[in-house]
Amino acid sequence: MTELQVAGPNPELNLTLAESGTGRPVLILHGGGGPATVTGLAAHLTRTAHTIVPTHPGWNGTPRPEWFTGVDDLALAYLHLLHDRRLRDVLVVGSSLGGWIGAEMAVRDQAGVITGLVLIDAVGVAVEGEPITDFFALDARGVAEHAYHDPDRFHVDPAAVPAGQLALRQADMAALRTVAGDPYMHDPKLLRRLGRVQVPSLLLWGESDRIVTPAYGAAYAAAFGDGRLEVIPEAGHLPQIERAEATFALIDAYTGK
């Protein structure tokens, strides 16, 4: 997979992209945990598709312009990227924050560039009675307990993380707070706009997700013009990591691969 820097839609914005494979273009959007959370997913899809995996500005030490402060900025930057490259029949796959970005892109895609959506435990909407857990209020153990079916397997003690890596993680969280912290992890208007999105939309949800529950996912899926929810057992907020084979099989069935 080749990583490169490309000019964004604004002269002050450069995008960091990893690309690989040939075939249908697939834009893969990571969540707050950074591009490492979708590495395995990208490797799987690269076998049959042309994958494009951005690192969101501000993550992994990449520059983020001061004016670049919202999920709408991310959605528009990636839509402009698809348009500038004259890509068509694009599948957008997004995890958590990346799913929210994908939904915002689909709402704004007047040219019909996006023909498929896969949202994995996406945030981004307000669902009555199903609040999004305040991720910023959790310690490392709390994150593991809310994000994974098997927290003991994935809990990482911050004291064991090298200082440089810990600083990058803290910078990622600062970027997440900037683009998605107010209002917290959602666009108040997005849910009622999703009915206009008629492309087939597959929402994959970990059964044990305690950040955004499967009930939240069901309401999210129902809001799309053509949405469908699939719940993955023994998985939490990142089923592409915790139950990779099951997640990949559902995506392959959706794409006909």
Side-chain angles (χ1 to χ4, degrees):
M1 184 170 284
T2 302
E3 185 169 286
L4 66 155
Q5 293 259 330
V6 301
N10 185 291
E12 300 173 20
L13 176 67
N14 289 321
L15 297 176
T16 301
L17 309 175
E19 291 192 68
S20 187
T22 59
R24 182 186 185 184
V26 180
L27 180 70
I28 302 174
L29 302 173
H30 67 77
T37 60
V38 294
T39 298
L41 177 60
H44 175 79
L45 292 174
T46 292
R47 299 183 306 174
T48 57
H50 170 206
T51 58
I52 305 167
V53 188
T55 298
H56 306 325
W59 271 258
N60 273 22
T62 58
R64 179 187 60 79
E66 188 173 344
W67 55 265
F68 198 92
T69 57
V71 169
D72 57 343
D73 290 317
L74 287 159
L76 288 170
Y78 297 143
L79 264 182
H80 290 151
L81 172 70
L82 301 181
H83 282 281
D84 290 348
R85 291 194 167 196
R86 302 182 186 276
L87 297 176
R88 294 293 181 268
D89 188 27
V90 178
L91 171 65
V92 176
V93 180
S95 168
S96 189
L97 171 70
W100 176 8
I101 299 167
E104 296 279 9
M105 291 176 67
V107 166
R108 292 167 168 77
D109 180 26
Q110 299 300 313
V113 171
I114 299 169
T115 55
L117 279 175
V118 177
L119 309 186
I120 305 172
D121 293 78
V123 296
V125 297
V127 175
E128 187 174 354
E130 295 293 337
I132 304 169
T133 295
D134 185 356
F135 185 86
F136 299 120
L138 301 175
D139 60 13
R141 182 67 196 182
V143 169
E145 290 176 349
H146 282 76
Y148 293 102
H149 174 78
D150 184 358
D152 291 336
R153 177 183 170 196
F154 293 96
H155 169 60
V156 177
D157 184 349
V161 178
Q165 186 178 346
L166 187 61
L168 277 177
R169 290 187 182 185
Q170 291 170 341
D172 288 354
M173 289 301 98
L176 178 63
R177 189 185 292 274
T178 296
V179 302
D182 186 19
Y184 176 71
M185 293 295 169
H186 77 285
D187 175 349
K189 299 180 180 180
L190 180 58
L191 191 69
R192 65 175 177 268
R193 293 174 172 170
L194 293 176
R196 297 183 62 86
V197 178
Q198 296 297 320
V199 302
S201 303
L202 174 65
L203 281 78
L204 301 180
W205 230 265
E207 186 177 38
S208 301
D209 190 353
R210 294 175 58 204
I211 294 175
V212 278
T213 66
Y216 176 98
Y220 211 149
F224 282 96
D226 183 9
R228 174 168 62 92
L229 177 72
E230 293 281 355
V231 177
I232 301 172
E234 298 181 5
H237 193 62
L238 299 169
Q240 73 273 18
I241 293 175
E242 201 166 14
R243 289 290 311 281
E245 290 187 6
T247 303
F248 300 164
L250 288 166
I251 296 174
D252 290 347
Y254 167 84
T255 59
K257 301 300 183 183

